[in-house]
Amino acid sequence: MPDVPHEKVLLCQDEATGLEAIVSLHSTALGPALGGTRFQSYGTVADAVLDSLHLSRGMTYKNALAGIPYGGGKAVVVGDPSVRRTRGLLKAFGRFVDSLHGRYVTSCDVGTNSADMDVISEVTRHVVGCSLKNGGGGDPSVLTAYGVLQGMRACAAVRWGSPELRGRRVGVSGVGKVGRHLVDLLVREGAIVLAADPRPGALARTRAEHPDVSTTSPQALLHAELDVFAPCALGGVLDQVTVERLRADIVCGAANNQLGYAGAEERLRRRDIVYAPDYVVNAGGVIHAAQEHRGISAELGATRAREQAEGIYDTTLSILTQAETTGATPSAVADELAERRMASAPHDASRTPAADQRSR
Ligand code: NAD
C-alpha cells in the first residue's frame, strides 16, 4: 500500500485507569474514519503505534473497496485485556474517541467485543458493534466471516474454475470471533475443515460445535496439505518461512496485514498460490458496522449488510482476474481501485452520516 501520511495520531493516557491507547486516523477522504479497537499486549508503545498506523491505513483501503462512505482509522489499547479491561479504562478510552467529535468511529477488533462497545457507548455515540440488547447491531464478526467466505469462493473460481468449496480442505488458523463463524459457514458449504488455535479452550469449543472438524496447532496447520489456508488470527503470518512452507492453492482469510514481508505476495504468485488481499475479503464486519452507524435497525441492517457483503465475491473475482491478466499483484490492483474511488469522492470530508445526529 502506498505511504500516504496519516491525518492524525492521538496518544491517549489516563493515569487513574492505567489506559494507554493510540487512535490513528489515516484518511477521512471518504467520510468519518471507521475501524475497530484492538486490545492486546505489545513489546513497546512504539510497536503499538506502528500497528495502529498499519491497521488504520488498511481500513482506508478496505472501506473504499467495500464501497462504504467511510475513511480509515483504528485504535489500539495497550495491555492484556484479561488483566487490564475495566469499565473505567474503557470509559476513559471512550472519552478520547468522543474528543474527536465523530471523525473517528470505533468498533470491535481483536481483544474487544460488543460488551466493551456497550461500555464505551456510555460516554460517546461514536461507537458501533454494540450489543443487540443495547440497541446496537451486534457482533460484526459474523458478517466478516460471511465476506471471507465470498472471497474464498471467488478464489476458488479463479483457481479451479468453480466457486464450489464442497470437499475442499480448508485450514482455519485462529478460531476466535471470526474464525469460529467461518468454520460454521465452511462446514455448511461441505468443506473439510481443519482448525488451529493456541488456546485449547477455543479448539475444544470448535470440536463441541463441529465434531467432524479436526483440530491442530497453528504450527502444524502450516505443514498440512490443504486446498485453502485461511489465516484468522494476527497479522504477519505470511513470513518468509511460512510462504515457502505452505501447501495450499489459495490463501484467503480474515486476519489483517497478513503479508509479513515486502516480497511475500510476489513469492506466493511464483509458487502458484492465489492470494486474496485481506482488506478486500474481510470487509463484511465494517459493512455491517456502517449500517449500524447510519442508524439502520439491527434486523434491516443485517439484511442489507449481508447483501452488500455478497459483493465481496465480485470485487475479489475482478481484482484477481485483473491481477492474472496484467501481471500486477492482487494488492496493487486493489490499491489502485481504492485510490480511484477515493479520488472521485466528493471533496467535503466533513459530511457526517445520519447517525451522527442520533443519540444513544
Ligand atoms: P479474536 O481475538 O476473537 O480471535 C483471534 C483468535 O486467534 C483467538 O482465538 C486466538 O487464540 C487465536 N490466535 C492467536 N494467536 C494465534 C496464532 N499464532 N495462530 C493461530 N491462532 C492464533 O479476533 P477476531 O475478531 O476473530 O479477528 C481475527 C482477525 O481478523 C484479526 O486479524 C482481525 O484484525 C481481523 N478482522 C476481524 C474483524 C472482526 O469483525 N472481528 C473484521 C476484520 C478483520
Side-chain angles (χ1 to χ4, degrees), residues 38 55 62 74 108-112 139-142 144 173-179 196-199 202 218 231-235 254-256 282-283 285-286:
R38 184 166 287 204
L55 291 165
K62 182 189 306 194
K74 198 90 178 181
C108 314
D109 190 54
V110 174
T112 56
D139 182 3
S141 313
V142 182
T144 302
S173 184
V175 281
K177 295 192 295 296
V178 181
D197 200 293
R199 284 188 301 133
C232 292
L234 301 179
N256 279 311
N282 70 11
V286 83

PDB file of all heavy atoms in Angstrom, residues 38 55 62 74 108-112 139-142 144 173-179 196-199 202 218 231-235 254-256 282-283 285-286, ligand 1:
ATOM      1  N   ARG A  38      -8.324  -2.504  18.840  1.00  0.00           N
ATOM      2  CA  ARG A  38      -7.585  -3.723  19.182  1.00  0.00           C
ATOM      3  C   ARG A  38      -7.067  -3.558  20.606  1.00  0.00           C
ATOM      4  O   ARG A  38      -6.527  -2.508  20.950  1.00  0.00           O
ATOM      5  CB  ARG A  38      -6.434  -3.886  18.194  1.00  0.00           C
ATOM      6  CG  ARG A  38      -5.656  -5.148  18.391  1.00  0.00           C
ATOM      7  CD  ARG A  38      -4.776  -5.425  17.205  1.00  0.00           C
ATOM      8  NE  ARG A  38      -5.553  -5.874  16.050  1.00  0.00           N
ATOM      9  CZ  ARG A  38      -5.062  -6.598  15.060  1.00  0.00           C
ATOM     10  NH1 ARG A  38      -3.812  -6.949  15.054  1.00  0.00           N
ATOM     11  NH2 ARG A  38      -5.828  -6.957  14.043  1.00  0.00           N
ATOM     12  N   LEU A  55      -2.713  -0.643  10.625  1.00  0.00           N
ATOM     13  CA  LEU A  55      -4.112  -1.095  10.610  1.00  0.00           C
ATOM     14  C   LEU A  55      -5.050   0.004  10.112  1.00  0.00           C
ATOM     15  O   LEU A  55      -6.003  -0.269   9.377  1.00  0.00           O
ATOM     16  CB  LEU A  55      -4.528  -1.546  12.015  1.00  0.00           C
ATOM     17  CG  LEU A  55      -3.870  -2.838  12.509  1.00  0.00           C
ATOM     18  CD1 LEU A  55      -4.044  -2.995  14.020  1.00  0.00           C
ATOM     19  CD2 LEU A  55      -4.450  -4.052  11.786  1.00  0.00           C
ATOM     20  N   LYS A  62      -9.733  -0.689   2.815  1.00  0.00           N
ATOM     21  CA  LYS A  62     -10.822  -1.654   2.969  1.00  0.00           C
ATOM     22  C   LYS A  62     -12.179  -0.970   2.778  1.00  0.00           C
ATOM     23  O   LYS A  62     -13.049  -1.451   2.058  1.00  0.00           O
ATOM     24  CB  LYS A  62     -10.765  -2.266   4.372  1.00  0.00           C
ATOM     25  CG  LYS A  62     -11.820  -3.322   4.620  1.00  0.00           C
ATOM     26  CD  LYS A  62     -11.893  -3.751   6.069  1.00  0.00           C
ATOM     27  CE  LYS A  62     -10.569  -4.209   6.603  1.00  0.00           C
ATOM     28  NZ  LYS A  62     -10.692  -4.924   7.884  1.00  0.00           N
ATOM     29  N   LYS A  74      -8.145   3.430  13.186  1.00  0.00           N
ATOM     30  CA  LYS A  74      -8.031   2.250  14.053  1.00  0.00           C
ATOM     31  C   LYS A  74      -7.498   2.702  15.399  1.00  0.00           C
ATOM     32  O   LYS A  74      -6.727   3.662  15.479  1.00  0.00           O
ATOM     33  CB  LYS A  74      -7.047   1.254  13.427  1.00  0.00           C
ATOM     34  CG  LYS A  74      -7.148  -0.135  13.963  1.00  0.00           C
ATOM     35  CD  LYS A  74      -8.134  -0.966  13.173  1.00  0.00           C
ATOM     36  CE  LYS A  74      -8.210  -2.377  13.687  1.00  0.00           C
ATOM     37  NZ  LYS A  74      -9.144  -3.185  12.921  1.00  0.00           N
ATOM     38  N   CYS A 108     -15.494  -3.208  17.362  1.00  0.00           N
ATOM     39  CA  CYS A 108     -14.736  -4.331  17.948  1.00  0.00           C
ATOM     40  C   CYS A 108     -13.554  -4.730  17.051  1.00  0.00           C
ATOM     41  O   CYS A 108     -13.595  -4.537  15.839  1.00  0.00           O
ATOM     42  CB  CYS A 108     -15.599  -5.586  18.064  1.00  0.00           C
ATOM     43  SG  CYS A 108     -17.233  -5.356  18.728  1.00  0.00           S
ATOM     44  N   ASP A 109     -12.560  -5.316  17.640  1.00  0.00           N
ATOM     45  CA  ASP A 109     -11.476  -5.964  16.898  1.00  0.00           C
ATOM     46  C   ASP A 109     -10.882  -7.023  17.833  1.00  0.00           C
ATOM     47  O   ASP A 109     -11.509  -7.385  18.848  1.00  0.00           O
ATOM     48  CB  ASP A 109     -10.426  -4.935  16.442  1.00  0.00           C
ATOM     49  CG  ASP A 109      -9.425  -5.539  15.464  1.00  0.00           C
ATOM     50  OD1 ASP A 109      -9.847  -6.102  14.442  1.00  0.00           O
ATOM     51  OD2 ASP A 109      -8.205  -5.496  15.719  1.00  0.00           O
ATOM     52  N   VAL A 110      -9.687  -7.451  17.540  1.00  0.00           N
ATOM     53  CA  VAL A 110      -9.037  -8.449  18.392  1.00  0.00           C
ATOM     54  C   VAL A 110      -8.998  -7.923  19.833  1.00  0.00           C
ATOM     55  O   VAL A 110      -8.583  -6.788  20.075  1.00  0.00           O
ATOM     56  CB  VAL A 110      -7.593  -8.717  17.907  1.00  0.00           C
ATOM     57  CG1 VAL A 110      -6.853  -9.642  18.857  1.00  0.00           C
ATOM     58  CG2 VAL A 110      -7.616  -9.294  16.501  1.00  0.00           C
ATOM     59  N   GLY A 111      -9.468  -8.718  20.759  1.00  0.00           N
ATOM     60  CA  GLY A 111      -9.398  -8.347  22.178  1.00  0.00           C
ATOM     61  C   GLY A 111     -10.556  -7.507  22.676  1.00  0.00           C
ATOM     62  O   GLY A 111     -10.627  -7.201  23.864  1.00  0.00           O
ATOM     63  N   THR A 112     -11.453  -7.090  21.794  1.00  0.00           N
ATOM     64  CA  THR A 112     -12.629  -6.325  22.247  1.00  0.00           C
ATOM     65  C   THR A 112     -13.895  -6.976  21.695  1.00  0.00           C
ATOM     66  O   THR A 112     -13.853  -7.678  20.672  1.00  0.00           O
ATOM     67  CB  THR A 112     -12.585  -4.852  21.790  1.00  0.00           C
ATOM     68  OG1 THR A 112     -12.454  -4.806  20.364  1.00  0.00           O
ATOM     69  CG2 THR A 112     -11.446  -4.098  22.436  1.00  0.00           C
ATOM     70  N   ASP A 139     -22.483  -8.360  17.126  1.00  0.00           N
ATOM     71  CA  ASP A 139     -21.100  -8.661  16.761  1.00  0.00           C
ATOM     72  C   ASP A 139     -20.897  -8.657  15.241  1.00  0.00           C
ATOM     73  O   ASP A 139     -21.500  -9.462  14.526  1.00  0.00           O
ATOM     74  CB  ASP A 139     -20.766 -10.053  17.329  1.00  0.00           C
ATOM     75  CG  ASP A 139     -19.334 -10.457  17.048  1.00  0.00           C
ATOM     76  OD1 ASP A 139     -18.592  -9.643  16.474  1.00  0.00           O
ATOM     77  OD2 ASP A 139     -18.979 -11.599  17.401  1.00  0.00           O
ATOM     78  N   PRO A 140     -20.034  -7.753  14.730  1.00  0.00           N
ATOM     79  CA  PRO A 140     -19.817  -7.695  13.276  1.00  0.00           C
ATOM     80  C   PRO A 140     -19.035  -8.879  12.723  1.00  0.00           C
ATOM     81  O   PRO A 140     -18.973  -9.064  11.503  1.00  0.00           O
ATOM     82  CB  PRO A 140     -19.031  -6.389  13.089  1.00  0.00           C
ATOM     83  CG  PRO A 140     -18.408  -6.103  14.407  1.00  0.00           C
ATOM     84  CD  PRO A 140     -19.262  -6.742  15.465  1.00  0.00           C
ATOM     85  N   SER A 141     -18.455  -9.696  13.600  1.00  0.00           N
ATOM     86  CA  SER A 141     -17.601 -10.802  13.132  1.00  0.00           C
ATOM     87  C   SER A 141     -18.367 -11.809  12.272  1.00  0.00           C
ATOM     88  O   SER A 141     -17.783 -12.470  11.415  1.00  0.00           O
ATOM     89  CB  SER A 141     -17.011 -11.565  14.316  1.00  0.00           C
ATOM     90  OG  SER A 141     -16.498 -10.693  15.259  1.00  0.00           O
ATOM     91  N   VAL A 142     -19.681 -11.899  12.521  1.00  0.00           N
ATOM     92  CA  VAL A 142     -20.499 -12.855  11.754  1.00  0.00           C
ATOM     93  C   VAL A 142     -20.433 -12.488  10.266  1.00  0.00           C
ATOM     94  O   VAL A 142     -20.212 -13.338   9.403  1.00  0.00           O
ATOM     95  CB  VAL A 142     -21.967 -12.815  12.261  1.00  0.00           C
ATOM     96  CG1 VAL A 142     -22.823 -13.813  11.523  1.00  0.00           C
ATOM     97  CG2 VAL A 142     -22.025 -13.037  13.758  1.00  0.00           C
ATOM     98  N   THR A 144     -18.169 -10.534   8.922  1.00  0.00           N
ATOM     99  CA  THR A 144     -16.779 -10.625   8.450  1.00  0.00           C
ATOM    100  C   THR A 144     -16.532 -12.027   7.899  1.00  0.00           C
ATOM    101  O   THR A 144     -15.975 -12.196   6.807  1.00  0.00           O
ATOM    102  CB  THR A 144     -15.784 -10.335   9.597  1.00  0.00           C
ATOM    103  OG1 THR A 144     -16.062  -9.047  10.119  1.00  0.00           O
ATOM    104  CG2 THR A 144     -14.349 -10.378   9.110  1.00  0.00           C
ATOM    105  N   SER A 173      -6.860 -20.867  10.598  1.00  0.00           N
ATOM    106  CA  SER A 173      -5.896 -20.628  11.666  1.00  0.00           C
ATOM    107  C   SER A 173      -6.399 -19.496  12.553  1.00  0.00           C
ATOM    108  O   SER A 173      -6.396 -18.342  12.160  1.00  0.00           O
ATOM    109  CB  SER A 173      -4.537 -20.258  11.047  1.00  0.00           C
ATOM    110  OG  SER A 173      -3.598 -20.123  12.071  1.00  0.00           O
ATOM    111  N   GLY A 174      -6.857 -19.856  13.748  1.00  0.00           N
ATOM    112  CA  GLY A 174      -7.457 -18.876  14.663  1.00  0.00           C
ATOM    113  C   GLY A 174      -8.962 -19.025  14.650  1.00  0.00           C
ATOM    114  O   GLY A 174      -9.610 -18.653  13.669  1.00  0.00           O
ATOM    115  N   VAL A 175      -9.503 -19.626  15.715  1.00  0.00           N
ATOM    116  CA  VAL A 175     -10.964 -19.788  15.770  1.00  0.00           C
ATOM    117  C   VAL A 175     -11.531 -18.918  16.902  1.00  0.00           C
ATOM    118  O   VAL A 175     -12.140 -19.389  17.838  1.00  0.00           O
ATOM    119  CB  VAL A 175     -11.404 -21.270  15.893  1.00  0.00           C
ATOM    120  CG1 VAL A 175     -11.339 -21.932  14.534  1.00  0.00           C
ATOM    121  CG2 VAL A 175     -10.550 -22.050  16.894  1.00  0.00           C
ATOM    122  N   GLY A 176     -11.257 -17.621  16.748  1.00  0.00           N
ATOM    123  CA  GLY A 176     -11.834 -16.632  17.655  1.00  0.00           C
ATOM    124  C   GLY A 176     -13.170 -16.176  17.092  1.00  0.00           C
ATOM    125  O   GLY A 176     -13.931 -16.972  16.548  1.00  0.00           O
ATOM    126  N   LYS A 177     -13.443 -14.879  17.206  1.00  0.00           N
ATOM    127  CA  LYS A 177     -14.765 -14.376  16.809  1.00  0.00           C
ATOM    128  C   LYS A 177     -15.059 -14.648  15.331  1.00  0.00           C
ATOM    129  O   LYS A 177     -16.117 -15.131  14.980  1.00  0.00           O
ATOM    130  CB  LYS A 177     -14.863 -12.870  17.104  1.00  0.00           C
ATOM    131  CG  LYS A 177     -14.800 -12.543  18.603  1.00  0.00           C
ATOM    132  CD  LYS A 177     -15.175 -11.115  18.890  1.00  0.00           C
ATOM    133  CE  LYS A 177     -14.219 -10.104  18.302  1.00  0.00           C
ATOM    134  NZ  LYS A 177     -12.848 -10.174  18.868  1.00  0.00           N
ATOM    135  N   VAL A 178     -14.093 -14.342  14.456  1.00  0.00           N
ATOM    136  CA  VAL A 178     -14.347 -14.532  13.022  1.00  0.00           C
ATOM    137  C   VAL A 178     -14.150 -15.992  12.617  1.00  0.00           C
ATOM    138  O   VAL A 178     -14.993 -16.589  11.934  1.00  0.00           O
ATOM    139  CB  VAL A 178     -13.420 -13.646  12.152  1.00  0.00           C
ATOM    140  CG1 VAL A 178     -13.727 -13.846  10.678  1.00  0.00           C
ATOM    141  CG2 VAL A 178     -13.551 -12.185  12.524  1.00  0.00           C
ATOM    142  N   GLY A 179     -13.019 -16.568  13.045  1.00  0.00           N
ATOM    143  CA  GLY A 179     -12.681 -17.927  12.636  1.00  0.00           C
ATOM    144  C   GLY A 179     -13.769 -18.922  13.006  1.00  0.00           C
ATOM    145  O   GLY A 179     -14.096 -19.834  12.231  1.00  0.00           O
ATOM    146  N   ALA A 196      -7.148 -24.504  13.758  1.00  0.00           N
ATOM    147  CA  ALA A 196      -5.990 -24.387  14.652  1.00  0.00           C
ATOM    148  C   ALA A 196      -6.122 -23.151  15.522  1.00  0.00           C
ATOM    149  O   ALA A 196      -6.661 -22.126  15.075  1.00  0.00           O
ATOM    150  CB  ALA A 196      -4.707 -24.295  13.827  1.00  0.00           C
ATOM    151  N   ASP A 197      -5.620 -23.260  16.735  1.00  0.00           N
ATOM    152  CA  ASP A 197      -5.628 -22.108  17.650  1.00  0.00           C
ATOM    153  C   ASP A 197      -4.713 -22.473  18.812  1.00  0.00           C
ATOM    154  O   ASP A 197      -4.678 -23.638  19.223  1.00  0.00           O
ATOM    155  CB  ASP A 197      -7.058 -21.855  18.159  1.00  0.00           C
ATOM    156  CG  ASP A 197      -7.247 -20.444  18.707  1.00  0.00           C
ATOM    157  OD1 ASP A 197      -6.651 -20.120  19.752  1.00  0.00           O
ATOM    158  OD2 ASP A 197      -7.978 -19.657  18.076  1.00  0.00           O
ATOM    159  N   PRO A 198      -3.965 -21.510  19.350  1.00  0.00           N
ATOM    160  CA  PRO A 198      -3.122 -21.848  20.505  1.00  0.00           C
ATOM    161  C   PRO A 198      -3.933 -22.025  21.786  1.00  0.00           C
ATOM    162  O   PRO A 198      -3.408 -22.554  22.772  1.00  0.00           O
ATOM    163  CB  PRO A 198      -2.173 -20.641  20.624  1.00  0.00           C
ATOM    164  CG  PRO A 198      -2.839 -19.535  19.896  1.00  0.00           C
ATOM    165  CD  PRO A 198      -3.757 -20.141  18.880  1.00  0.00           C
ATOM    166  N   ARG A 199      -5.180 -21.569  21.800  1.00  0.00           N
ATOM    167  CA  ARG A 199      -5.993 -21.673  23.028  1.00  0.00           C
ATOM    168  C   ARG A 199      -6.743 -22.996  23.029  1.00  0.00           C
ATOM    169  O   ARG A 199      -7.634 -23.228  22.192  1.00  0.00           O
ATOM    170  CB  ARG A 199      -7.027 -20.541  23.085  1.00  0.00           C
ATOM    171  CG  ARG A 199      -6.441 -19.186  23.470  1.00  0.00           C
ATOM    172  CD  ARG A 199      -7.544 -18.177  23.695  1.00  0.00           C
ATOM    173  NE  ARG A 199      -8.388 -17.984  22.538  1.00  0.00           N
ATOM    174  CZ  ARG A 199      -9.714 -17.970  22.548  1.00  0.00           C
ATOM    175  NH1 ARG A 199     -10.367 -18.159  23.674  1.00  0.00           N
ATOM    176  NH2 ARG A 199     -10.388 -17.777  21.435  1.00  0.00           N
ATOM    177  N   ALA A 202     -10.507 -22.718  22.825  1.00  0.00           N
ATOM    178  CA  ALA A 202     -11.106 -22.381  21.526  1.00  0.00           C
ATOM    179  C   ALA A 202     -11.253 -23.647  20.681  1.00  0.00           C
ATOM    180  O   ALA A 202     -12.254 -23.850  19.985  1.00  0.00           O
ATOM    181  CB  ALA A 202     -10.246 -21.348  20.803  1.00  0.00           C
ATOM    182  N   PRO A 218      -1.421 -24.245  15.502  1.00  0.00           N
ATOM    183  CA  PRO A 218      -1.158 -23.334  14.380  1.00  0.00           C
ATOM    184  C   PRO A 218       0.084 -23.741  13.592  1.00  0.00           C
ATOM    185  O   PRO A 218       0.101 -23.651  12.359  1.00  0.00           O
ATOM    186  CB  PRO A 218      -0.979 -21.978  15.055  1.00  0.00           C
ATOM    187  CG  PRO A 218      -1.766 -22.069  16.324  1.00  0.00           C
ATOM    188  CD  PRO A 218      -1.638 -23.493  16.768  1.00  0.00           C
ATOM    189  N   PRO A 231      -5.987 -17.601   7.185  1.00  0.00           N
ATOM    190  CA  PRO A 231      -5.457 -17.010   8.428  1.00  0.00           C
ATOM    191  C   PRO A 231      -6.530 -16.121   9.078  1.00  0.00           C
ATOM    192  O   PRO A 231      -7.012 -15.179   8.447  1.00  0.00           O
ATOM    193  CB  PRO A 231      -4.275 -16.154   7.949  1.00  0.00           C
ATOM    194  CG  PRO A 231      -4.083 -16.440   6.499  1.00  0.00           C
ATOM    195  CD  PRO A 231      -5.379 -16.986   5.989  1.00  0.00           C
ATOM    196  N   CYS A 232      -6.879 -16.433  10.304  1.00  0.00           N
ATOM    197  CA  CYS A 232      -7.920 -15.659  11.004  1.00  0.00           C
ATOM    198  C   CYS A 232      -7.444 -15.263  12.400  1.00  0.00           C
ATOM    199  O   CYS A 232      -8.236 -15.234  13.344  1.00  0.00           O
ATOM    200  CB  CYS A 232      -9.213 -16.463  11.096  1.00  0.00           C
ATOM    201  SG  CYS A 232      -9.988 -16.723   9.502  1.00  0.00           S
ATOM    202  N   ALA A 233      -6.133 -14.988  12.519  1.00  0.00           N
ATOM    203  CA  ALA A 233      -5.614 -14.566  13.827  1.00  0.00           C
ATOM    204  C   ALA A 233      -4.900 -13.230  13.651  1.00  0.00           C
ATOM    205  O   ALA A 233      -5.503 -12.276  13.174  1.00  0.00           O
ATOM    206  CB  ALA A 233      -4.729 -15.651  14.404  1.00  0.00           C
ATOM    207  N   LEU A 234      -3.627 -13.202  13.987  1.00  0.00           N
ATOM    208  CA  LEU A 234      -2.923 -11.913  13.941  1.00  0.00           C
ATOM    209  C   LEU A 234      -2.205 -11.713  12.615  1.00  0.00           C
ATOM    210  O   LEU A 234      -2.146 -12.619  11.782  1.00  0.00           O
ATOM    211  CB  LEU A 234      -1.939 -11.838  15.114  1.00  0.00           C
ATOM    212  CG  LEU A 234      -2.617 -11.971  16.487  1.00  0.00           C
ATOM    213  CD1 LEU A 234      -1.587 -11.920  17.608  1.00  0.00           C
ATOM    214  CD2 LEU A 234      -3.671 -10.882  16.689  1.00  0.00           C
ATOM    215  N   GLY A 235      -1.651 -10.510  12.430  1.00  0.00           N
ATOM    216  CA  GLY A 235      -1.003 -10.165  11.160  1.00  0.00           C
ATOM    217  C   GLY A 235       0.371 -10.810  11.022  1.00  0.00           C
ATOM    218  O   GLY A 235       0.883 -11.456  11.942  1.00  0.00           O
ATOM    219  N   ALA A 254      -9.351 -13.828   7.243  1.00  0.00           N
ATOM    220  CA  ALA A 254      -9.803 -12.561   7.824  1.00  0.00           C
ATOM    221  C   ALA A 254      -8.685 -11.719   8.418  1.00  0.00           C
ATOM    222  O   ALA A 254      -8.838 -10.505   8.564  1.00  0.00           O
ATOM    223  CB  ALA A 254     -10.815 -12.851   8.927  1.00  0.00           C
ATOM    224  N   ALA A 255      -7.572 -12.345   8.802  1.00  0.00           N
ATOM    225  CA  ALA A 255      -6.554 -11.604   9.565  1.00  0.00           C
ATOM    226  C   ALA A 255      -6.078 -10.375   8.794  1.00  0.00           C
ATOM    227  O   ALA A 255      -5.821 -10.449   7.591  1.00  0.00           O
ATOM    228  CB  ALA A 255      -5.369 -12.516   9.862  1.00  0.00           C
ATOM    229  N   ASN A 256      -5.977  -9.268   9.491  1.00  0.00           N
ATOM    230  CA  ASN A 256      -5.457  -8.040   8.878  1.00  0.00           C
ATOM    231  C   ASN A 256      -3.947  -8.126   8.731  1.00  0.00           C
ATOM    232  O   ASN A 256      -3.263  -8.714   9.562  1.00  0.00           O
ATOM    233  CB  ASN A 256      -5.801  -6.837   9.772  1.00  0.00           C
ATOM    234  CG  ASN A 256      -7.222  -6.364   9.554  1.00  0.00           C
ATOM    235  OD1 ASN A 256      -7.668  -6.156   8.427  1.00  0.00           O
ATOM    236  ND2 ASN A 256      -7.955  -6.188  10.636  1.00  0.00           N
ATOM    237  N   ASN A 282     -12.085  -9.146   4.059  1.00  0.00           N
ATOM    238  CA  ASN A 282     -12.560  -9.109   5.457  1.00  0.00           C
ATOM    239  C   ASN A 282     -13.404  -7.880   5.772  1.00  0.00           C
ATOM    240  O   ASN A 282     -13.518  -7.471   6.919  1.00  0.00           O
ATOM    241  CB  ASN A 282     -11.398  -9.295   6.448  1.00  0.00           C
ATOM    242  CG  ASN A 282     -10.456  -8.095   6.494  1.00  0.00           C
ATOM    243  OD1 ASN A 282     -10.747  -7.031   5.956  1.00  0.00           O
ATOM    244  ND2 ASN A 282      -9.319  -8.262   7.151  1.00  0.00           N
ATOM    245  N   ALA A 283     -14.035  -7.320   4.729  1.00  0.00           N
ATOM    246  CA  ALA A 283     -14.791  -6.068   4.906  1.00  0.00           C
ATOM    247  C   ALA A 283     -16.221  -6.277   5.408  1.00  0.00           C
ATOM    248  O   ALA A 283     -16.930  -5.306   5.678  1.00  0.00           O
ATOM    249  CB  ALA A 283     -14.826  -5.313   3.572  1.00  0.00           C
ATOM    250  N   GLY A 285     -17.491  -7.132   8.215  1.00  0.00           N
ATOM    251  CA  GLY A 285     -17.765  -6.546   9.532  1.00  0.00           C
ATOM    252  C   GLY A 285     -17.932  -5.043   9.464  1.00  0.00           C
ATOM    253  O   GLY A 285     -18.819  -4.468  10.112  1.00  0.00           O
ATOM    254  N   VAL A 286     -17.101  -4.413   8.671  1.00  0.00           N
ATOM    255  CA  VAL A 286     -17.183  -2.952   8.609  1.00  0.00           C
ATOM    256  C   VAL A 286     -18.414  -2.525   7.793  1.00  0.00           C
ATOM    257  O   VAL A 286     -19.028  -1.491   8.061  1.00  0.00           O
ATOM    258  CB  VAL A 286     -15.833  -2.351   8.100  1.00  0.00           C
ATOM    259  CG1 VAL A 286     -15.705  -2.367   6.603  1.00  0.00           C
ATOM    260  CG2 VAL A 286     -15.654  -0.951   8.646  1.00  0.00           C
TER     261      VAL A 286
HETATM  262  P1  NAD B   1     -10.199 -12.841  18.135  1.00  0.00           P
HETATM  263  O1  NAD B   1      -9.263 -12.268  19.129  1.00  0.00           O
HETATM  264  O2  NAD B   1     -11.613 -13.039  18.520  1.00  0.00           O
HETATM  265  O3  NAD B   1      -9.658 -14.260  17.614  1.00  0.00           O
HETATM  266  C1  NAD B   1      -8.336 -14.483  17.272  1.00  0.00           C
HETATM  267  C2  NAD B   1      -8.058 -15.961  17.539  1.00  0.00           C
HETATM  268  O4  NAD B   1      -6.741 -16.258  17.058  1.00  0.00           O
HETATM  269  C3  NAD B   1      -8.075 -16.335  19.021  1.00  0.00           C
HETATM  270  O5  NAD B   1      -8.872 -17.484  19.224  1.00  0.00           O
HETATM  271  C4  NAD B   1      -6.608 -16.596  19.351  1.00  0.00           C
HETATM  272  O6  NAD B   1      -6.431 -17.562  20.364  1.00  0.00           O
HETATM  273  C5  NAD B   1      -6.111 -17.080  18.014  1.00  0.00           C
HETATM  274  N1  NAD B   1      -4.657 -16.957  17.836  1.00  0.00           N
HETATM  275  C6  NAD B   1      -3.777 -16.160  18.481  1.00  0.00           C
HETATM  276  N2  NAD B   1      -2.532 -16.359  18.006  1.00  0.00           N
HETATM  277  C7  NAD B   1      -2.642 -17.300  17.034  1.00  0.00           C
HETATM  278  C8  NAD B   1      -1.709 -17.927  16.182  1.00  0.00           C
HETATM  279  N3  NAD B   1      -0.411 -17.617  16.200  1.00  0.00           N
HETATM  280  N4  NAD B   1      -2.164 -18.841  15.306  1.00  0.00           N
HETATM  281  C9  NAD B   1      -3.480 -19.165  15.245  1.00  0.00           C
HETATM  282  N5  NAD B   1      -4.407 -18.609  16.049  1.00  0.00           N
HETATM  283  C10 NAD B   1      -3.988 -17.691  16.932  1.00  0.00           C
HETATM  284  O7  NAD B   1     -10.078 -11.912  16.833  1.00  0.00           O
HETATM  285  P2  NAD B   1     -11.119 -11.776  15.644  1.00  0.00           P
HETATM  286  O8  NAD B   1     -12.009 -10.628  15.911  1.00  0.00           O
HETATM  287  O9  NAD B   1     -11.664 -13.114  15.296  1.00  0.00           O
HETATM  288  O10 NAD B   1     -10.142 -11.274  14.472  1.00  0.00           O
HETATM  289  C11 NAD B   1      -9.260 -12.169  13.818  1.00  0.00           C
HETATM  290  C12 NAD B   1      -8.504 -11.415  12.724  1.00  0.00           C
HETATM  291  O11 NAD B   1      -9.433 -10.895  11.773  1.00  0.00           O
HETATM  292  C13 NAD B   1      -7.714 -10.203  13.221  1.00  0.00           C
HETATM  293  O12 NAD B   1      -6.558 -10.053  12.459  1.00  0.00           O
HETATM  294  C14 NAD B   1      -8.659  -9.038  12.973  1.00  0.00           C
HETATM  295  O13 NAD B   1      -7.992  -7.816  12.834  1.00  0.00           O
HETATM  296  C15 NAD B   1      -9.283  -9.489  11.671  1.00  0.00           C
HETATM  297  N6  NAD B   1     -10.584  -8.896  11.440  1.00  0.00           N
HETATM  298  C16 NAD B   1     -11.579  -9.064  12.337  1.00  0.00           C
HETATM  299  C17 NAD B   1     -12.828  -8.497  12.082  1.00  0.00           C
HETATM  300  C18 NAD B   1     -13.994  -8.712  13.013  1.00  0.00           C
HETATM  301  O14 NAD B   1     -15.144  -8.447  12.601  1.00  0.00           O
HETATM  302  N7  NAD B   1     -13.782  -9.206  14.229  1.00  0.00           N
HETATM  303  C19 NAD B   1     -13.028  -7.747  10.925  1.00  0.00           C
HETATM  304  C20 NAD B   1     -11.976  -7.616  10.023  1.00  0.00           C
HETATM  305  C21 NAD B   1     -10.748  -8.188  10.289  1.00  0.00           C
END
